[in-house]
Amino acid sequence: MSQAITKPIGAMLDEIAARFPDNDALVYPERGLRYSYKQFNEICRQVAKGLLKLGIKKGDHVSIWAYNVPEWVILQFATPKIGAVLVTVNTAYKSSELEYVLNQSDSTTLFMVKSFKDTDYVKTLAEVVPSIHDSEPGKLNHAKLPFLKTVVFIGDETPAGMLNFNSIIELGKAVSDEELAAVEATLDCHDTINMQYTSGTTGFPKGVMLTHYNLANNGFQIGECMKFTNQDRLCIPVPFFHCFGCVLGTMVCVTHGSAMVPVELFDPLKVLQTIEAEKCTAVHGVPTMFIAELEHPEFKKFNLSSLRTGIMAGSVCPIEVMKKAVRDMNLTEITSVYGQTEASPGITQTRTEDPVELRVSTVGRALPEAEVKIIDIETGATLPPGKQGELCARGYMVMKGYYKMPEETAKVIDADNWLHTGDLAIMDENGYCKITGRIKQMIIRGGENIYPKEIEEFLYTHPKISDVQIYGVPDKKYGEQVMAAVILKKGMEMTEEEVKEFCRGKIANYKVPKYVKFVEGYPMTASGKIQKFKLREMAIKELHLEEAE
């Protein structure tokens, strides 16, 4: 592979910091925080040493549960310096999801902020680990989470039983450069360095194991397709816990010596203010974010002339939104990326020089050095251009596998190392792909992937519910919304609100069904399979969603 990055991420950052020491690396205008690459690398080294002092070793799993705070980015580049695996926890998770991820990932340490939106993280953690506030920091002992020993708080007023993030930096002062170098010498670019949880048809999230090599090279190639240089400045309003934030965002920047300018919590006004104040040349977002920015009442007040490129991805990009972004935000070289977490995540991308028509109607062609093919769902044979089948990908970006789930891994990565995405697509004769549907019936709501099986498994635990089917229905704002068709147990009665209330606080808000319908049965195939597409068609008619469709 040409120009492949074969160094571990920590060593790669050392090299970038040596090449561009005075370039802005990380900028938070509202906090007055501005690290040059030299300073950013130095703080990442300090934190890496602090982690060593805490007893974190190569291969240990460290979870982070936080929105886009500076400590997130620092941890993302400090953990690979010692070979620890960063486990990214969805900010919308509630108690049962948090417990599952901490347990399944064998996390020894959890970094967390105080709260996010309507969720008090400190209270939520106490629900999962009742003994947290009575424990000595670093000596947690909870039967259900045998690996978890340390909780580190990001922010002021550290709760009882936790360490503070700043104390990690202090601890690092006791560790010499030689000790850190000795650990770095043991690292390999094909070691797992990051784990992101993606739900699946099994109903339980799976930990996707990604390596230094996966992430650095995917970030580099995506940046190349946007013509990124050390002069670019990227506004990052998408969440870091997702590949969109921590690969298409931060990793794209660091591999090019570009400036990372995050927005802590998405707010269209803040994005516009940040772009203008920092003269950002690029901005990322899911379509709903771009719509909110373009439709903001103060939109016209802002000077966005510094913008050039960025990525609109996460769900199908409406053609009109893409055209408006090009025309009204000066994003003449905006691109779209298609991928999935298992491909760390980018598989295809449009190019800055592609005509707008291609950029709005396709998800581009294979990234440099990646292979893409479309196969027949029944036979597995490679299909010619213009035929619909499953999109498969192969190359440097494919994950190592799902953590502790070899059978699940074998279902998606075949003997020839092709990753089977489960997405239906058509490729044209020039290699440009259109995503046409999903084999797995995943719902994409505002860029969040929702797997019906996971919500179904949860609702099955309600004593009144006999059966439930979850499916997506069209929505103007979010692309899709969650709908539940519920069959009640004999003699039971239930309201729509009762179903929603049962979900609240237990599963992420975006997974709570917006629509609930009580039914006697489901449309079936001759072989007894439920036809969700028919449920969807019926719902579109009943709810008058034809226009959104």
Side-chain angles (χ1 to χ4, degrees), residues 72 101 146 246 270 312 318 362 388 405 415 421 487 542:
W72 211 112
V101 166
C246 71
K270 287 223 170 100
M312 191 185 295
T362 77
Q388 176 177 274
M405 292 187 180
T421 63
I487 298 175
E542 287 164 17

Side-chain angles (χ1 to χ4, degrees), residues 198-201 206 208 340 342-343 375 390-394 398-402 405-422 440:
T198 180
S199 306
T201 45
K206 300 187 283 284
V208 175
Q340 55 183 207
E342 289 86 344
I375 63 164
E390 183 181 19
L391 190 146
C392 296
R394 184 165 68 176
V398 175
M399 66 170 179
K400 264 201 163 172
Y402 297 121
M405 292 187 180
E407 296 85 3
E408 295 298 323
T409 303
K411 284 179 194 169
V412 296
I413 300 177
D414 67 24
D416 294 321
N417 296 320
W418 285 98
L419 173 70
H420 292 248
T421 63
K440 301 171 187 163

Side-chain angles (χ1 to χ4, degrees), residues 288-326:
T288 46
M289 288 179 173
F290 282 101
I291 292 166
E293 290 149 21
L294 287 158
E295 291 181 355
H296 195 277
E298 293 182 43
F299 177 78
K300 287 200 162 66
K301 288 185 186 170
F302 292 94
N303 177 0
L304 308 178
S305 62
S306 59
L307 284 176
R308 169 181 74 82
T309 187
I311 294 170
M312 191 185 295
S315 61
V316 180
C317 300
I319 289 175
E320 286 314 305
V321 179
M322 186 73 102
K323 286 183 172 166
K324 262 190 187 163
V326 170

